[in-house]
Amino acid sequence: MTLIQCPKCEHTVSSVASRCPSCGTLLTEYRFVQGQRGSLTECRRCARKVLSGAKTCPYCGVGCQIDLSVKGRSVFRVDAPFDSPPNFGKLCVKGRFGISEFVHHKDRLTTPLIKRDGEFSEATWDEALDFAAGGLKRIRDTHGPGALAGFGSAKGSNEEAYLFQKLVRTGFGTNNVDHCTRLCHASSVAALLEGVGSGAVSNQVNDVLRAEVVFIIGANPTVNHPVAATWMKNAAQRGTKLIVADPRRTELARHATHFLQFNPDTDVALLNAMIHAIIDEGLVNQKFVKERTSNFQALKENAKDYSPEKMAPVCGIPAATIREVARMFATSKGSMILWGMGISQHVHGTDNARCLIALTLMTGQVGRPGTGLHPLRGQNNVQGASDSGLIPMMYPDYQRVDNPEAQQRFQALWGTELDSKPGLTVVEIMNAAKAGKIRGMYIMGENPAMSDPDVAHAREAMAGLEHLVVQDIFLTETAYLADVVLPATAFPEKDGTFTNTDRMVQLARKAIEPPGEAREDLWIIVELAKRLGLEWSYEKPSEVFEEMRKGMNSIAGITWERLERDSCVVYPCENEGDPGEPVVFRTHFPTATGRAKFVPADLIPAAERPDRHYPMVLITGRQLEHWHTGAMTRRSGVLDAIEPEPTASLHPLDLAQLGASPGDVITVESRRGRISLYSRQDQGTPRGAVFIPFAFYEAAANLLTNPVLDPFGKIPEFKYCAVKVTKGGEKPGNPGYGKGRTLELMYS
């Protein structure tokens, strides 16, 4: 017998109960015939086949477990098992309604494509693979390994990420390999590795239920991590003090005891003021600081110039409020910090994270349930892809490529010499491609033609490559630029492991066959590797996972057999039989000294400030209904019907000042580009700012964003640039893969 949660009231119930004793919900309607996880069982109600608890939702970092109802080769329904972490039966609108349609969409790539005379034509797999590998090999042998680069995917499995980076490092001979973590939490990871020795979260998201104070800053969980947001709302309902800090008033602010709507770009001012207040009021946990940290004196000296009274005019939060929330955070029995892209996607993103780490360390709010640091991961496997080595300066498990011991370890494991020079990051690769230094690229499951900052520059750079290989499930904006396109598998069509934001390694099992001639990503990578001269013989993910265990201490204790039995295991799990550690840093930090380090931060302004020509601030982000660049969710009729058109949100007074009404076409322009889209009135958007989701090709927000980088994390400043907004402009067009319904038609 196990314990599950009632789907209605979340009361803990025995797995054999027929009704919830709290609310009376009939539980048998939600339960399937008992069977091994990952096996096809029959639903009691309709007798159709159900793949039970065997898949990970392909969207955000929560990594919800899902049940797929399968008939023949098709998924016709998505549910969630009520006894499976991390979601316990919960799903957001994307997870419940945004899967089956994109998986079976008519736009799925089913045949390899080679571009001849500017047009794609169908090819056999042997032709496409020979052409793809031949171009990459020619550039490598002619211009050297540094002329090649690869972008892996945070939507693929751990095994795919591991083999991809291994291919680039051993087949290309370079460390020029990166993925979308560079565009989301690179600065957070840089600060965490520097401060506490680990880039992963210290506690799981649902630990907010054990916290007395929860501090959420620069994140919009109700949109970006909806299921995780339910834990936060539940915590607030149970009496947890919820502090939400963000330039935009989001839905979660309704549940907060304190909402801090600080001025954009003033994160460090607010956080340093809190640090000052804690020191000033004698609330530092001296015992913890003395026994488990270093460099506190430097932080103390730096904080002298950042009193709440001095910073209040800068960040826009009253000094008394800053002191109140600082006091609340420092004196609680358990305080937990969660943050998102609003912290990381700045030129001072690393400094923002350094301040959050300092708040946690100086108050001793780490190493216990209901405390700690949690950067909310954006994509479903961004944690696992990073762990697996899809980072230009890190081997798997965050072992630096310029560390001789790490280099020797992987040379021995992989049987080849490795380059000790750190590779280029995402934006640096694009700049090098534009300059002609990068001549060939292999991109798997990423869409930089939509996701990179200043995408006009990125598109021009990719269009100028001598050879571009793209592996994906759709002909994305990036794939249109490719010389060869390799049709890959969607998540229900393959086996593999995924690691969610909670450090939970989850086994996902194949449910259906891929369409047409589409092949599993693992097979494609292996076949390309063979053609590049590598003697690879991997046939299944379990073989790759076994090799990963040899190079990654964090998962060394997790066997494939254990995953088949238990479905998921939390790392670190260094020895077989270890239960895994949901809470880390209990007794020490994984640094050379065992101590965490304080790193002070000073005020650094955004790279581009508003002026008389561009007087407003652009903030980009996601929507609840659409995911990332829209390639999957905009091919879902349900989601497209809810949000069919690109919009820009402005404060009502700013909209009135433009002489525009909600629904009017407006034009937003930066120094890099302009887009026209429909206006949306939003009281939560601050005066002088405009918020634009980046999922819409016909009004791509990243045509506007600034590619300037944080010097430590090498992450672009997506969350701040100067723009001007005017009424009017050309109506957004139809991208071709959604319904393309206009607001004018909807409301006429």
Side-chain angles (χ1 to χ4, degrees):
M1 185 189 73
T2 59
L3 295 178
I4 63 174
Q5 286 191 315
C6 171
K8 296 289 179 67
C9 70
E10 300 177 358
H11 185 82
T12 301
V13 187
S14 164
S15 61
V16 298
S18 60
R19 288 185 181 273
C20 173
S22 178
C23 68
T25 296
L26 187 63
L27 299 175
T28 52
E29 294 195 5
Y30 298 93
R31 194 172 296 123
F32 300 103
V33 174
Q34 195 71 22
Q36 183 183 1
R37 288 215 179 275
S39 63
L40 283 170
T41 58
E42 285 190 349
C43 175
R44 284 176 175 163
R45 300 182 71 185
C46 66
R48 287 188 172 173
K49 300 295 184 181
V50 177
L51 191 73
S52 177
K55 299 307 298 183
T56 302
C57 177
Y59 294 116
C60 79
V62 175
C64 292
Q65 293 292 286
I66 57 178
D67 290 332
L68 301 179
S69 298
V70 177
K71 185 178 182 181
R73 298 170 64 98
S74 300
V75 175
F76 69 89
R77 177 168 171 161
V78 179
D79 295 286
F82 291 98
D83 59 347
S84 292
N87 50 315
F88 297 101
K90 297 182 175 70
L91 286 176
C92 75
V93 67
K94 291 190 292 289
R96 197 170 297 280
F97 302 111
I99 289 176
S100 58
E101 283 194 77
F102 93 76
V103 169
H104 303 301
H105 198 276
K106 62 179 178 61
D107 291 350
R108 283 290 304 274
L109 291 168
T110 59
T111 306
L113 303 173
I114 293 177
K115 188 173 287 179
R116 299 183 174 96
D117 299 322
E119 299 289 336
F120 285 118
S121 60
E122 295 185 353
T124 67
W125 268 108
D126 281 336
E127 288 173 334
L129 290 167
D130 289 345
F131 183 75
L136 295 170
K137 187 177 181 181
R138 174 182 54 78
I139 292 171
R140 180 195 67 187
D141 296 345
T142 306
H143 302 283
L148 293 175
F151 286 172
S153 176
K155 295 186 287 292
S157 70
N158 291 327
E159 294 75 28
E160 292 161 3
Y162 175 85
L163 281 194
F164 188 94
Q165 61 87 33
K166 182 180 178 181
L167 170 66
V168 174
R169 291 189 159 108
T170 61
F172 292 4
T174 178
N175 290 313
N176 292 339
V177 61
D178 211 350
H179 76 298
C180 72
T181 193
R182 190 63 47 203
L183 308 178
C184 54
H185 267 302
S187 53
S188 302
V189 171
L192 288 165
L193 288 171
E194 170 190 65
V196 299
S198 170
V201 302
S202 67
N203 299 55
Q204 298 180 313
V205 174
N206 62 12
D207 235 24
V208 297
L209 296 168
R210 303 183 183 185
E212 190 172 295
V213 172
V214 174
F215 183 29
I216 302 168
I217 181 169
N220 188 5
T222 52
V223 166
N224 297 328
H225 306 86
V227 171
T230 65
W231 308 131
M232 303 168 194
K233 295 174 186 177
N234 292 345
Q237 291 168 355
R238 298 179 187 183
T240 298
K241 297 172 183 175
L242 188 63
I243 304 168
V244 175
D246 201 292
R248 296 177 64 227
R249 176 179 285 275
T250 60
E251 194 272 338
L252 197 62
R254 295 193 299 109
H255 303 266
T257 55
H258 293 73
F259 174 58
L260 311 181
Q261 190 169 12
F262 61 92
N263 297 328
D265 193 45
T266 62
D267 316 66
V268 172
L270 171 62
L271 298 172
N272 268 347
M274 291 177 64
I275 292 170
H276 178 106
I278 291 169
I279 297 172
D280 186 52
E281 298 187 19
L283 303 177
V284 176
N285 187 327
Q286 298 290 351
K287 185 174 186 297
F288 187 94
V289 169
K290 182 180 179 181
E291 295 178 356
R292 299 193 56 190
T293 72
S294 64
N295 207 39
F296 176 70
Q297 195 58 39
L299 181 83
K300 187 176 180 179
E301 282 298 314
N302 186 73
K304 289 180 178 179
D305 295 329
Y306 296 99
S307 69
E309 289 72 21
K310 188 175 179 179
M311 292 298 103
V314 178
C315 65
I317 305 299
T321 303
I322 296 173
R323 288 186 177 276
E324 182 183 359
V325 297
R327 194 179 304 123
M328 186 188 305
F329 182 90
T331 58
S332 84
K333 295 178 181 178
S335 293
M336 188 172 175
I337 300 178
L338 302 99
W339 71 95
M341 309 296 104
I343 283 291
S344 58
Q345 291 177 338
H346 290 277
V347 291
H348 47 77
T350 304
D351 282 334
N352 292 347
R354 285 166 172 163
C355 291
L356 296 176
I357 295 167
L359 281 171
T360 295
L361 296 177
M362 68 191 300
T363 56
Q365 297 286 9
V366 68
R368 296 174 283 113
T371 65
L373 297 154
H374 193 118
L376 290 157
R377 306 303 186 183
Q379 298 196 24
N380 72 326
N381 202 38
V382 73
Q383 181 68 61
S386 301
D387 296 342
S388 302
L390 272 182
I391 303 176
M393 64 287 295
M394 304 283 186
Y395 294 126
D397 242 12
Y398 307 97
Q399 302 169 75
R400 289 196 61 88
V401 299
D402 53 6
N403 181 317
E405 292 183 5
Q407 185 183 14
Q408 291 170 12
R409 179 180 188 180
F410 283 96
Q411 286 181 163
L413 181 61
W414 295 341
T416 189
E417 293 292 316
L418 297 171
D419 187 4
S420 62
K421 180 183 177 183
L424 301 177
T425 63
V426 164
V427 176
E428 291 172 334
I429 287 170
M430 288 302 179
N431 290 337
K434 184 67 169 60
K437 297 178 180 179
I438 297 289
R439 296 171 178 265
M441 287 188 67
Y442 174 26
I443 300 176
M444 180 185 77
E446 291 284 297
N447 192 12
M450 280 287 289
S451 60
D452 270 30
D454 190 11
V455 291
H457 173 272
R459 293 168 184 175
E460 187 178 353
M462 288 186 288
L465 290 169
E466 292 180 20
H467 193 62
L468 174 60
V469 180
V470 173
Q471 180 175 321
D472 216 312
I473 64 174
F474 295 116
L475 198 62
T476 64
E477 292 79 10
T478 299
Y480 274 113
L481 302 171
D483 296 285
V484 56
V485 180
L486 307 174
T489 43
F491 81 103
E493 300 158 0
K494 56 188 174 184
D495 295 335
T497 63
F498 296 77
T499 306
N500 77 344
T501 191
D502 288 336
R503 294 180 279 105
M504 186 181 295
V505 182
Q506 305 162 308
L507 179 60
R509 306 309 299 266
K510 183 176 180 178
I512 57 174
E513 294 297 323
E517 297 180 39
R519 301 299 296 265
E520 295 183 4
D521 296 81
L522 208 70
W523 180 86
I524 299 172
I525 298 170
V526 171
E527 289 299 313
L528 282 174
K530 291 176 180 178
R531 287 164 170 80
L532 286 167
L534 302 177
E535 296 180 359
W536 285 11
S537 59
Y538 308 101
E539 293 184 357
K540 45 188 181 181
S542 58
E543 298 171 356
V544 182
F545 188 80
E546 190 61 30
E547 181 177 308
M548 293 169 64
R549 294 176 61 208
K550 296 176 182 178
M552 301 172 63
N553 294 339
S554 62
I555 63 168
I558 305 175
T559 64
W560 193 265
E561 292 73 25
R562 181 176 176 183
L563 289 170
E564 288 183 319
R565 183 184 72 244
D566 298 338
S567 182
C568 59
V569 181
V570 176
Y571 78 77
C573 184
E574 297 187 359
N575 302 293
E576 293 185 22
D578 288 353
E581 299 182 42
V583 179
V584 294
F585 312 147
R586 291 179 180 270
T587 59
H588 67 282
F589 295 94
T591 62
T593 62
R595 292 172 173 262
K597 181 182 179 181
F598 289 99
V599 182
D602 289 312
L603 296 186
I604 299 174
E608 185 178 79
R609 305 282 294 180
D611 56 26
R612 64 187 181 90
H613 300 291
Y614 299 92
M616 299 187 75
V617 172
L618 170 66
I619 302 171
T620 65
R622 293 195 175 108
Q623 295 175 296
L624 173 62
E625 296 81 9
H626 286 305
W627 173 249
H628 208 50
T629 64
M632 297 186 296
T633 53
R634 296 198 69 195
R635 289 177 167 91
S636 167
V638 172
L639 302 178
D640 186 68
I642 300 172
E643 284 287 354
E645 298 284 354
T647 60
S649 297
L650 292 89
H651 191 278
L653 295 177
D654 284 339
L655 200 59
Q657 192 171 336
L658 291 176
S661 301
D664 286 348
V665 174
I666 60 173
T667 296
V668 184
E669 182 179 354
S670 76
R671 290 178 173 87
R672 290 156 291 280
R674 70 170 65 186
I675 57 175
S676 295
L677 63 179
Y678 297 98
S679 64
R680 174 170 282 170
Q681 181 173 287
D682 178 23
Q683 298 243 10
T685 300
R687 293 292 311 274
V690 54
F691 172 77
I692 303 178
F694 63 94
F696 296 85
Y697 173 77
E698 61 272 36
N702 283 324
L703 284 168
L704 311 175
T705 49
N706 193 352
V708 66
L709 303 179
D710 173 293
F712 303 98
K714 303 290 185 73
I715 187 172
E717 191 160 45
F718 286 110
K719 289 292 185 285
Y720 198 101
C721 73
V723 296
K724 64 179 177 183
V725 183
T726 55
K727 182 182 178 181
E730 187 175 346
K731 293 180 179 179
N734 180 1
Y737 46 74
K739 292 184 181 297
R741 301 188 306 161
T742 65
L743 295 180
E744 184 179 68
L745 291 173
M746 289 177 65
Y747 297 114
S748 61

